[in-house]
Amino acid sequence: MVLNYQISSPETMERAICELGIVPFFTSAIPGYSIKELTQPGFWFDGEEDSLGPWDWKIDCLQNGGIAYGKFLCGGKAAFATVPFYRELMNVRRATTTPDKNGERIMEYIEKQGSITIKEVRALLGVKKGQADAAIGKLMQQCRVVTGAIERVYRGPEQVYNGWQVSYFCTPESLFEDFTTLHTDRTPEESLDFLVDQITKLTDATASRKQVLKVLK
């Protein structure tokens, strides 16, 4: 693998995302190609307050702008992408998918309110958390919704933060206000080829097309 990052801080994590362009959060079909595998041992989060690592650092990465975060790679798992890469993926996904009825209701809500949380999705659709997560996940997979912001949740009398977070979901168009940044002149087929080529280069051509497509599914 050509990837040789040693993530050990919010800054090194953001640098890795920006240089890679698009990368899964967790392990994928391509060995070594994930934030988890690029994180130095001891920094990967385990639920303890003093070792949240990338789970917490993703908040800083999003706050700095220019990075999309959501469940849009590996069949609906968490991933990061810079705008130049995300717009190509968006071009591919939106050409072949449409929101279902629940998705349409969520999109209408976001259009009016600007964003939505899982709690608000549950209330809007009258469903349990798992179903709300699935509805948002489907929209993220279609590149119609991204995580616009994440807030840390402090609990108890001592206001302890141990990794609990609240995510606010919005459209890519509202997150990246200049809509022209999301425009590409490529056809969906050309966008897919672009992404495959770029990821293949990142892995020094060791990843097969089949592996890359599994990541991009």
Side-chain angles (χ1 to χ4, degrees), residues 102-117 120-121 124 135-136 139-140 144-148 168-175:
N102 283 342
E104 289 177 351
R105 293 180 65 186
I106 293 171
M107 295 302 295
E108 289 172 0
Y109 184 98
I110 293 175
E111 182 68 26
K112 294 178 181 178
Q113 304 297 327
S115 65
I116 194 168
T117 65
E120 290 167 336
V121 173
L124 177 69
I136 281 291
L139 290 172
M140 287 194 285
R144 298 180 189 280
V145 167
V146 291
T147 304
Y168 294 81
F169 306 101
C170 64
T171 64
E173 289 87 347
S174 63
L175 181 61

Short mmCIF file of all heavy atoms in Angstrom, two decimals, residues 102-117 120-121 124 135-136 139-140 144-148 168-175:
data_model
loop_
_atom_site.label_atom_id
_atom_site.label_comp_id
_atom_site.label_asym_id
_atom_site.label_seq_id
_atom_site.Cartn_x
_atom_site.Cartn_y
_atom_site.Cartn_z
N ASN A 102 -40.54 8.09 2.71
CA ASN A 102 -39.93 8.59 3.95
C ASN A 102 -38.81 9.56 3.65
O ASN A 102 -38.66 10.59 4.32
CB ASN A 102 -39.40 7.43 4.79
CG ASN A 102 -40.50 6.68 5.52
OD1 ASN A 102 -41.60 7.20 5.69
ND2 ASN A 102 -40.20 5.48 5.96
N GLY A 103 -38.03 9.24 2.61
CA GLY A 103 -36.95 10.13 2.21
C GLY A 103 -37.47 11.48 1.76
O GLY A 103 -36.89 12.52 2.08
N GLU A 104 -38.55 11.47 1.02
CA GLU A 104 -39.14 12.72 0.56
C GLU A 104 -39.61 13.58 1.74
O GLU A 104 -39.43 14.80 1.74
CB GLU A 104 -40.32 12.43 -0.38
CG GLU A 104 -39.89 11.87 -1.74
CD GLU A 104 -41.08 11.52 -2.61
OE1 GLU A 104 -42.23 11.57 -2.10
OE2 GLU A 104 -40.86 11.21 -3.80
N ARG A 105 -40.20 12.94 2.73
CA ARG A 105 -40.67 13.68 3.90
C ARG A 105 -39.50 14.30 4.67
O ARG A 105 -39.56 15.44 5.14
CB ARG A 105 -41.47 12.77 4.82
CG ARG A 105 -42.80 12.31 4.22
CD ARG A 105 -43.55 11.40 5.18
NE ARG A 105 -43.95 12.13 6.37
CZ ARG A 105 -44.53 11.56 7.45
NH1 ARG A 105 -44.73 10.24 7.44
NH2 ARG A 105 -44.88 12.27 8.49
N ILE A 106 -38.41 13.54 4.78
CA ILE A 106 -37.22 14.06 5.45
C ILE A 106 -36.63 15.23 4.67
O ILE A 106 -36.26 16.26 5.25
CB ILE A 106 -36.18 12.95 5.63
CG1 ILE A 106 -36.68 11.90 6.61
CG2 ILE A 106 -34.85 13.54 6.12
CD1 ILE A 106 -35.82 10.66 6.70
N MET A 107 -36.57 15.08 3.36
CA MET A 107 -36.00 16.15 2.53
C MET A 107 -36.85 17.42 2.61
O MET A 107 -36.32 18.53 2.64
CB MET A 107 -35.89 15.68 1.08
CG MET A 107 -34.92 14.53 0.85
SD MET A 107 -33.23 14.89 1.39
CE MET A 107 -32.78 16.21 0.26
N GLU A 108 -38.16 17.26 2.66
CA GLU A 108 -39.06 18.42 2.79
C GLU A 108 -38.82 19.12 4.13
O GLU A 108 -38.82 20.35 4.22
CB GLU A 108 -40.51 17.97 2.67
CG GLU A 108 -40.91 17.55 1.26
CD GLU A 108 -42.29 16.94 1.19
OE1 GLU A 108 -42.95 16.84 2.27
OE2 GLU A 108 -42.73 16.54 0.09
N TYR A 109 -38.63 18.32 5.17
CA TYR A 109 -38.37 18.88 6.51
C TYR A 109 -37.06 19.66 6.51
O TYR A 109 -36.99 20.79 7.03
CB TYR A 109 -38.32 17.75 7.53
CG TYR A 109 -38.15 18.21 8.97
CD1 TYR A 109 -39.25 18.31 9.82
CD2 TYR A 109 -36.89 18.53 9.49
CE1 TYR A 109 -39.11 18.72 11.14
CE2 TYR A 109 -36.74 18.94 10.80
CZ TYR A 109 -37.85 19.03 11.62
OH TYR A 109 -37.70 19.45 12.92
N ILE A 110 -36.02 19.07 5.93
CA ILE A 110 -34.72 19.73 5.87
C ILE A 110 -34.81 21.02 5.06
O ILE A 110 -34.19 22.03 5.41
CB ILE A 110 -33.65 18.79 5.28
CG1 ILE A 110 -33.39 17.62 6.24
CG2 ILE A 110 -32.36 19.54 4.99
CD1 ILE A 110 -32.44 16.57 5.69
N GLU A 111 -35.58 20.98 3.98
CA GLU A 111 -35.73 22.17 3.13
C GLU A 111 -36.33 23.34 3.94
O GLU A 111 -35.93 24.50 3.78
CB GLU A 111 -36.65 21.85 1.96
CG GLU A 111 -36.84 22.98 0.97
CD GLU A 111 -35.59 23.33 0.20
OE1 GLU A 111 -34.71 22.45 0.04
OE2 GLU A 111 -35.48 24.48 -0.23
N LYS A 112 -37.26 23.01 4.85
CA LYS A 112 -37.91 24.05 5.65
C LYS A 112 -37.10 24.45 6.87
O LYS A 112 -36.99 25.63 7.20
CB LYS A 112 -39.29 23.56 6.10
CG LYS A 112 -40.29 23.36 4.96
CD LYS A 112 -41.61 22.84 5.49
CE LYS A 112 -42.62 22.61 4.37
NZ LYS A 112 -43.90 22.04 4.88
N GLN A 113 -36.50 23.46 7.53
CA GLN A 113 -35.83 23.71 8.81
C GLN A 113 -34.31 23.87 8.71
O GLN A 113 -33.69 24.37 9.64
CB GLN A 113 -36.15 22.58 9.80
CG GLN A 113 -37.63 22.35 10.03
CD GLN A 113 -38.31 23.54 10.68
OE1 GLN A 113 -37.71 24.27 11.47
NE2 GLN A 113 -39.58 23.76 10.35
N GLY A 114 -33.74 23.43 7.61
CA GLY A 114 -32.30 23.56 7.44
C GLY A 114 -31.52 22.32 7.81
O GLY A 114 -30.48 22.03 7.21
N SER A 115 -32.01 21.56 8.79
CA SER A 115 -31.34 20.33 9.20
C SER A 115 -32.33 19.47 9.98
O SER A 115 -33.45 19.90 10.29
CB SER A 115 -30.12 20.64 10.07
OG SER A 115 -30.52 21.24 11.30
N ILE A 116 -31.89 18.25 10.31
CA ILE A 116 -32.74 17.34 11.07
C ILE A 116 -31.86 16.42 11.90
O ILE A 116 -30.74 16.08 11.49
CB ILE A 116 -33.66 16.53 10.12
CG1 ILE A 116 -34.79 15.84 10.90
CG2 ILE A 116 -32.86 15.51 9.32
CD1 ILE A 116 -35.87 15.26 10.00
N THR A 117 -32.32 16.04 13.07
CA THR A 117 -31.63 15.08 13.92
C THR A 117 -32.37 13.75 13.87
O THR A 117 -33.51 13.69 13.40
CB THR A 117 -31.57 15.56 15.37
OG1 THR A 117 -32.91 15.61 15.90
CG2 THR A 117 -30.92 16.93 15.48
N GLU A 120 -35.61 13.99 15.62
CA GLU A 120 -36.64 14.66 14.81
C GLU A 120 -37.14 13.75 13.69
O GLU A 120 -38.32 13.80 13.33
CB GLU A 120 -36.08 15.96 14.25
CG GLU A 120 -35.87 17.02 15.33
CD GLU A 120 -35.04 18.20 14.86
OE1 GLU A 120 -34.24 18.05 13.89
OE2 GLU A 120 -35.15 19.28 15.46
N VAL A 121 -36.27 12.89 13.16
CA VAL A 121 -36.71 11.92 12.15
C VAL A 121 -37.71 10.96 12.76
O VAL A 121 -38.74 10.63 12.15
CB VAL A 121 -35.50 11.13 11.57
CG1 VAL A 121 -36.00 10.02 10.64
CG2 VAL A 121 -34.58 12.06 10.80
N LEU A 124 -40.97 12.76 13.12
CA LEU A 124 -41.55 13.05 11.81
C LEU A 124 -42.20 11.82 11.20
O LEU A 124 -43.32 11.89 10.67
CB LEU A 124 -40.47 13.59 10.87
CG LEU A 124 -40.89 13.89 9.42
CD1 LEU A 124 -41.84 15.09 9.39
CD2 LEU A 124 -39.65 14.17 8.57
N ALA A 135 -33.48 5.32 7.49
CA ALA A 135 -34.01 6.31 6.56
C ALA A 135 -32.97 7.38 6.23
O ALA A 135 -32.80 7.75 5.06
CB ALA A 135 -35.27 6.96 7.15
N ILE A 136 -32.28 7.85 7.25
CA ILE A 136 -31.22 8.84 7.03
C ILE A 136 -30.06 8.19 6.28
O ILE A 136 -29.46 8.79 5.36
CB ILE A 136 -30.73 9.43 8.36
CG1 ILE A 136 -31.71 10.49 8.87
CG2 ILE A 136 -29.35 10.06 8.22
CD1 ILE A 136 -31.76 11.77 8.05
N LEU A 139 -30.59 8.10 2.57
CA LEU A 139 -30.40 9.41 1.93
C LEU A 139 -28.92 9.78 1.85
O LEU A 139 -28.48 10.40 0.88
CB LEU A 139 -31.17 10.48 2.69
CG LEU A 139 -32.70 10.42 2.59
CD1 LEU A 139 -33.34 11.42 3.54
CD2 LEU A 139 -33.15 10.68 1.16
N MET A 140 -28.14 9.38 2.86
CA MET A 140 -26.70 9.64 2.80
C MET A 140 -26.06 8.79 1.70
O MET A 140 -25.16 9.26 1.00
CB MET A 140 -26.06 9.35 4.16
CG MET A 140 -26.38 10.40 5.21
SD MET A 140 -25.33 10.32 6.69
CE MET A 140 -26.03 8.87 7.49
N ARG A 144 -27.77 12.64 -0.91
CA ARG A 144 -28.74 13.73 -0.81
C ARG A 144 -28.68 14.40 0.56
O ARG A 144 -29.17 15.51 0.75
CB ARG A 144 -30.16 13.20 -1.06
CG ARG A 144 -30.30 12.62 -2.46
CD ARG A 144 -31.68 12.07 -2.76
NE ARG A 144 -31.65 11.34 -4.03
CZ ARG A 144 -31.69 11.89 -5.22
NH1 ARG A 144 -31.78 13.21 -5.32
NH2 ARG A 144 -31.65 11.16 -6.32
N VAL A 145 -28.05 13.73 1.52
CA VAL A 145 -27.91 14.25 2.87
C VAL A 145 -26.51 13.94 3.38
O VAL A 145 -25.95 12.88 3.09
CB VAL A 145 -28.96 13.59 3.81
CG1 VAL A 145 -28.64 13.85 5.26
CG2 VAL A 145 -30.36 14.10 3.49
N VAL A 146 -25.93 14.88 4.11
CA VAL A 146 -24.64 14.68 4.78
C VAL A 146 -24.77 15.13 6.23
O VAL A 146 -25.77 15.74 6.61
CB VAL A 146 -23.50 15.47 4.10
CG1 VAL A 146 -23.19 14.90 2.74
CG2 VAL A 146 -23.86 16.95 4.00
N THR A 147 -23.75 14.85 7.01
CA THR A 147 -23.72 15.33 8.39
C THR A 147 -23.21 16.77 8.36
O THR A 147 -22.05 17.01 8.04
CB THR A 147 -22.80 14.46 9.25
OG1 THR A 147 -23.24 13.10 9.16
CG2 THR A 147 -22.84 14.91 10.70
N GLY A 148 -24.08 17.69 8.71
CA GLY A 148 -23.70 19.09 8.65
C GLY A 148 -22.93 19.56 9.87
O GLY A 148 -22.04 20.40 9.77
N TYR A 168 -26.44 16.61 13.18
CA TYR A 168 -27.44 17.38 12.45
C TYR A 168 -27.21 17.12 10.96
O TYR A 168 -26.12 17.34 10.44
CB TYR A 168 -27.29 18.87 12.76
CG TYR A 168 -27.62 19.20 14.20
CD1 TYR A 168 -26.68 19.01 15.21
CD2 TYR A 168 -28.88 19.68 14.55
CE1 TYR A 168 -26.97 19.29 16.53
CE2 TYR A 168 -29.19 19.97 15.88
CZ TYR A 168 -28.24 19.76 16.86
OH TYR A 168 -28.54 20.04 18.18
N PHE A 169 -28.24 16.63 10.30
CA PHE A 169 -28.13 16.25 8.89
C PHE A 169 -28.73 17.33 8.01
O PHE A 169 -29.79 17.90 8.31
CB PHE A 169 -28.85 14.93 8.66
CG PHE A 169 -28.38 13.83 9.58
CD1 PHE A 169 -29.13 13.46 10.68
CD2 PHE A 169 -27.17 13.19 9.36
CE1 PHE A 169 -28.70 12.47 11.55
CE2 PHE A 169 -26.72 12.19 10.21
CZ PHE A 169 -27.49 11.83 11.31
N CYS A 170 -28.03 17.63 6.92
CA CYS A 170 -28.48 18.67 5.99
C CYS A 170 -28.16 18.22 4.57
O CYS A 170 -27.61 17.14 4.35
CB CYS A 170 -27.80 20.00 6.30
SG CYS A 170 -26.00 19.98 6.07
N THR A 171 -28.48 19.05 3.60
CA THR A 171 -28.15 18.73 2.21
C THR A 171 -26.72 19.16 1.91
O THR A 171 -26.20 20.10 2.52
CB THR A 171 -29.10 19.44 1.23
OG1 THR A 171 -28.91 20.86 1.36
CG2 THR A 171 -30.55 19.07 1.50
N PRO A 172 -26.06 18.50 0.96
CA PRO A 172 -24.72 18.95 0.56
C PRO A 172 -24.76 20.38 0.03
O PRO A 172 -23.82 21.16 0.25
CB PRO A 172 -24.34 17.97 -0.56
CG PRO A 172 -25.17 16.77 -0.33
CD PRO A 172 -26.46 17.28 0.25
N GLU A 173 -25.85 20.74 -0.64
CA GLU A 173 -25.96 22.08 -1.22
C GLU A 173 -25.93 23.16 -0.13
O GLU A 173 -25.38 24.24 -0.34
CB GLU A 173 -27.26 22.21 -2.03
CG GLU A 173 -27.25 21.43 -3.33
CD GLU A 173 -27.68 19.98 -3.17
OE1 GLU A 173 -27.76 19.49 -2.02
OE2 GLU A 173 -27.93 19.31 -4.19
N SER A 174 -26.54 22.87 1.03
CA SER A 174 -26.53 23.88 2.10
C SER A 174 -25.22 23.85 2.88
O SER A 174 -24.78 24.88 3.39
CB SER A 174 -27.72 23.65 3.05
OG SER A 174 -27.61 22.40 3.71
N LEU A 175 -24.58 22.69 2.97
CA LEU A 175 -23.31 22.61 3.68
C LEU A 175 -22.21 23.31 2.90
O LEU A 175 -21.41 24.06 3.47
CB LEU A 175 -22.94 21.14 3.91
CG LEU A 175 -21.63 20.90 4.67
CD1 LEU A 175 -21.68 21.51 6.07
CD2 LEU A 175 -21.32 19.41 4.74
#
